[in-house]
C-alpha cells in the first residue's frame, strides 16, 4: 500500500476535516510555496513522485519551461481564469470555460492538451478534440464541488419523476451547465438539450424555450435563476428541485406552473458573496461599481450594478475609465490578476477573506512539471478519456452550444 503524503504542522486528521469541506477556504495566502507546504495538500492527488514535493517555485519554473520548450508545437496548454499566476503564465490560451471550449475545438496539428482547470473542463476538451489528441489534467483531484452535486443517477431519477407528474409527452428541454460530468452532457444531448456556460446561458435558455415549454436546468440553481429572471421569468415560475427529498421537495402544482426547474446545486466559492459585503463596499468606497458572477445568489446579483461571466467581468473592467473603483464578486486569483492588469483603477474582491476556488487551486506547478516531464519521456499520466458513447452524445450537446455563437 502506498504511503499517504501528509503535510507538516496540523495532524492529517485535523487537516482532512478542515479541507475536505468544499465550503471551507483552503488557503490563508496565495504566495508560491513547494507542494508539500500547501495547506490543502492533504486532499490532493497522492501518487505524484516524491521528488516534486519539495521543489522550490524557482526550480519548478525552470523545469516547466524546459519541458514546454522540448514538447514544442505538439502541446497546447489551456488555463482557466481561476488558475494561480504561477500556472496561468504557461497557458497558450486563457479564458472562461466557454472560451476554452472553443480553443480546444479549434486546435489543429497537436498531440497533447494540458488543461489547467478542473475535471469536467478536461472531459469537454477530450470530447471536442480529435480522438488522437491526448488530454491531460495535471492533478486528477481537481474536481468541482458543484458538478459533484449533480450525481448522474439522481438527475436521471429526477427526469423520470418529473415526467411521471407532467406526462411522458411533456415538452421539457434539459440544459446542463458546463460544470457537469460528461455523462450528463450526453444525457441532455440525447434528449434534445444542450450545454451552456455563464457566457451564453441566456442564449441557451432562449434556444431551449424555442423547442419546449419548460427547462430542466442543472446543476447550478443560481445561474439558472439569475438568467431566467433577467429574461422576464418571475421567481414563482421557477421551482427548486432538491435531489435529497422525495419528488424534489416540490409539488405537482408547482411543477406544472414552473417554466424552469432548477437543480439544487451551487458554487462553493460564489456562495461566499453576500449583500452585506456589497453594502460595506458602497459605504467604504463611494461611487464603487459592483460586478459579480451569475453563480452568486439572486439577491447578490440584484444588489450589484452588473453581473457576468469571468470574460465579461474582465472585459468590463479593462474597458472602464481610469480612476474608477471596482468591487468584484468572483474567484480571488482572477480578481488579483485584474487588479495588476488595471493599475489605473482600484479593483478589489468583495470577500475580505483570501479564498481561491479550492479545486482549481489544486493545479500546483509541481503537477504541471510532473505531467510535462512525463510527456517528454514518452509517458502520458493523468489522461482524461471519455468513452465513445458518452463522447457521441456529449459532442451533440456541446456543438449545439458552440453554434449559439
Amino acid at each position: 500500500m502506498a504511503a499517504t503524503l501528509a503535510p507538516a504542522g496540523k495532524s492529517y486528521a485535523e487537516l482532512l476535516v478542515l479541507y475536505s469541506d468544499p465550503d471551507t477556504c483552503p488557503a490563508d495566502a496565495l504566495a508560491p510555496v513547494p507542494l508539500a507546504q500547501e495547506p490543502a495538500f492533504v486532499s490532493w492527488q497522492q501518487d505524484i513522485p516524491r521528488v516534486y514535493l519539495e521543489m522550490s517555485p524557482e526550480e519548478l519554473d525552470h523545469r516547466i519551461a524546459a519541458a514546454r520548450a522540448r514538447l514544442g508545437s505538439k502541446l497546447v496548454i489551456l488555463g482557466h481564469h481561476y488558475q494561480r499566476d504561477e500556472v496561468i503564465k504557461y497557458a497558450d490560451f486563457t479564458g472562461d470555460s466557454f472560451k476554452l471550449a472553443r480553443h480546444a475545438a479549434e486546435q489543429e496539428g497537436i498531440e497533447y492538451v494540458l488543461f489547467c482547470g478542473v475535471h469536467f473542463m478536461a472531459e469537454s476538451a477530450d470530447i471536442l478534440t480529435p480522438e488522437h489528441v491526448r488530454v491531460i489534467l495535471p492533478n486528477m483531484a481537481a474536481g468541482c464541488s458543484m458538478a459533484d452535486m449533480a450525481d448522474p443517477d439522481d438527475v436521471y431519477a429526477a427526469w423520470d419523476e418529473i415526467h411521471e407528474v407532467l406526462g411522458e409527452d411533456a415538452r421539457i428541454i434539459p440544459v446542463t451547465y458546463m460544470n457537469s460530468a460528461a455523462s450528463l452532457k450526453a444525457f441532455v444531448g440525447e434528449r434534445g438539450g444542450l450545454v451552456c456556460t455563464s457566457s451564453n446561458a441566456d442564449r441557451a435558455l432562449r434556444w431551449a424555450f424555442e423547442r419546449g415549454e419548460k427547462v430542466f436546468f442543472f446543476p447550478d440553481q443560481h445561474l439558472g435563476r439569475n438568467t431566467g429572471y433577467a429574461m422576464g421569468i418571475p421567481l414563482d415560475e421557477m421551482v427548486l428541485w432538491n435531489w435529497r427529498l422525495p419528488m424534489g421537495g416540490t409539488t405537482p402544482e408547482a411543477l406544472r406552473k414552473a417554466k424552469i426547474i432548477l437543480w439544487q446545486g451551487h458554487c462553493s466559492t460564489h456562495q461566499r458573496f453576500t449583500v452585506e459585503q456589497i453594502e460595506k463596499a458602497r459605504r467604504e468606497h463611494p461611487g464603487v461599481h459592483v460586478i459579480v458572477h451569475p453563480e452568486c445568489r439572486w439577491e447578490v446579483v440584484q444588489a450589484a450594478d452588473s453581473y457576468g461571466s469571468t470574460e465579461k467581468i474582465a472585459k468590463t473592467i479593462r474597458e472602464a475609465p481610469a480612476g474608477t473603483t471596482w468591487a468584484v464578486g468572483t474567484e480571488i486569483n482572477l480578481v488579483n490578476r485584474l487588479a495588476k492588469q488595471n493599475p489605473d483603477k482600484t479593483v478589489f474582491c468583495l470577500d475580505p477573506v483570501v479564498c481561491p476556488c479550492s479545486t482549481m487551486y489544486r493545479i500546483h506547478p509541481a503537477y504541471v512539471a510532473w505531467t510535462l516531464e512525463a510527456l517528454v519521456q514518452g509517458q502520458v499520466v493523468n489522461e482524461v478519456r471519455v468513452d465513445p458513447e458518452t463522447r457521441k452524445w456529449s459532442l451533440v450537446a456541446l456543438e449545439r452550444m458552440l453554434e449559439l455563437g
Side-chain angles (χ1 to χ4, degrees):
M1 180 181 293
T4 299
L5 306 175
K10 289 182 181 289
S11 71
Y12 179 89
E14 289 173 321
L15 284 170
L16 187 61
V17 170
L18 182 60
Y19 297 120
S20 60
D21 181 355
D23 293 317
T24 301
C25 184
D28 299 312
L30 302 180
V33 296
L35 179 58
Q37 296 176 26
E38 285 277 2
F41 177 57
V42 67
S43 61
W44 294 11
Q45 185 177 345
Q46 298 289 324
D47 58 350
I48 183 171
R50 289 177 178 268
V51 66
Y52 291 97
L53 301 186
E54 296 290 351
M55 285 185 187
S56 68
E58 294 75 20
E59 182 178 1
L60 288 169
D61 189 53
H62 172 75
R63 293 178 72 142
I64 292 170
R68 180 72 182 85
R70 289 189 63 181
L71 291 164
S73 60
K74 295 190 293 186
L75 169 74
V76 66
I77 300 178
L78 303 179
H80 191 274
H81 281 313
Y82 294 166
Q83 289 296 305
R84 58 179 89 200
D85 286 347
E86 57 268 32
V87 169
I88 203 77
K89 67 181 181 180
Y90 294 108
D92 298 297
F93 301 99
T94 63
D96 61 7
S97 56
F98 176 70
K99 188 174 180 181
L100 293 177
R102 279 202 174 280
H103 285 310
E106 291 167 356
Q107 298 310 304
E108 296 181 358
I110 61 170
E111 296 179 27
Y112 309 109
V113 172
L114 185 73
F115 208 120
C116 296
V118 292
H119 196 270
F120 72 80
M121 297 179 185
E123 283 186 329
S124 294
D126 181 55
I127 293 162
L128 289 166
T129 52
E131 291 195 31
H132 73 274
V133 174
R134 315 286 290 274
V135 176
I136 299 157
L137 184 65
N139 181 357
M140 295 297 275
C144 172
S145 61
M146 180 202 296
D148 292 342
M149 292 175 194
D151 181 87
D153 286 340
D154 290 335
V155 175
Y156 307 155
W159 181 258
D160 290 342
E161 287 185 79
I162 291 167
H163 279 85
E164 285 175 9
V165 172
L166 301 179
E168 291 303 317
D169 58 347
R171 297 176 59 221
I172 307 169
I173 305 297
V175 177
T176 186
Y177 193 20
M178 181 70 86
N179 303 37
S180 59
S183 56
L184 291 180
K185 294 179 176 69
F187 173 84
V188 303
E190 193 171 5
R191 289 159 181 79
L194 79 170
V195 179
C196 77
T197 73
S198 55
S199 291
N200 62 14
D202 56 343
R203 281 168 281 164
L205 286 187
R206 289 190 183 93
W207 183 96
F209 281 120
E210 288 170 359
R211 291 158 176 80
E213 296 176 353
K214 299 179 186 289
V215 168
F216 182 33
F217 189 95
F218 51 90
D220 183 29
Q221 59 170 304
H222 301 304
L223 177 63
R225 183 178 295 109
N226 288 321
T227 305
Y229 188 80
M231 293 171 58
I233 298 174
L235 293 179
D236 63 1
E237 292 184 13
M238 292 185 270
V239 64
L240 188 64
W241 185 275
N242 185 340
W243 43 275
R244 300 177 182 88
L245 299 176
M247 248 256 323
T250 186
T251 65
E253 293 74 21
L255 283 176
R256 293 188 188 100
K257 180 180 179 181
K259 294 282 287 181
I260 303 178
I261 303 166
L262 301 166
W263 191 261
Q264 188 164 316
H266 64 266
C267 169
S268 300
T269 297
H270 290 100
Q271 284 277 101
R272 296 178 61 88
F273 299 109
T274 66
V275 173
E276 290 73 25
Q277 291 169 350
I278 294 176
E279 292 171 346
K280 183 174 184 289
R282 295 198 192 282
R283 287 194 305 270
E284 296 179 355
H285 302 270
V288 67
H289 300 259
V290 179
I291 186 168
V292 302
H293 196 280
E295 289 177 13
C296 293
R297 294 180 177 90
W298 176 82
E299 58 268 24
V300 172
V301 171
Q302 294 304 304
D305 298 303
S306 57
Y307 71 95
S309 67
T310 52
E311 282 295 312
K312 180 178 177 180
I313 290 171
K315 182 175 185 290
T316 300
I317 294 175
R318 184 172 60 248
E319 296 177 354
T324 51
T325 300
W326 293 85
V328 186
T330 194
E331 202 272 346
I332 188 65
N333 277 298
L334 174 59
V335 178
N336 285 347
R337 195 170 301 126
L338 291 173
K340 293 176 185 176
Q341 293 171 350
N342 295 274
D344 59 335
K345 298 143 198 162
T346 299
V347 181
F348 63 93
C349 188
L350 276 172
D351 188 351
V353 178
V354 177
C355 191
C357 172
S358 61
T359 49
M360 286 278 190
Y361 201 66
R362 292 177 182 172
I363 305 297
H364 186 281
Y367 288 104
V368 178
W370 170 38
T371 50
L372 290 184
E373 290 186 334
L375 283 180
V376 169
Q377 297 165 10
Q379 180 185 9
V380 178
V381 296
N382 290 356
E383 182 176 10
V384 174
R385 179 67 73 178
V386 177
D387 69 85
E389 185 67 14
T390 302
R391 180 189 181 97
K392 169 188 170 183
W393 287 107
S394 296
L395 185 60
V396 169
L398 284 164
E399 287 183 336
R400 285 173 182 155
M401 177 193 75
L402 293 174
E403 287 170 2
L404 296 174

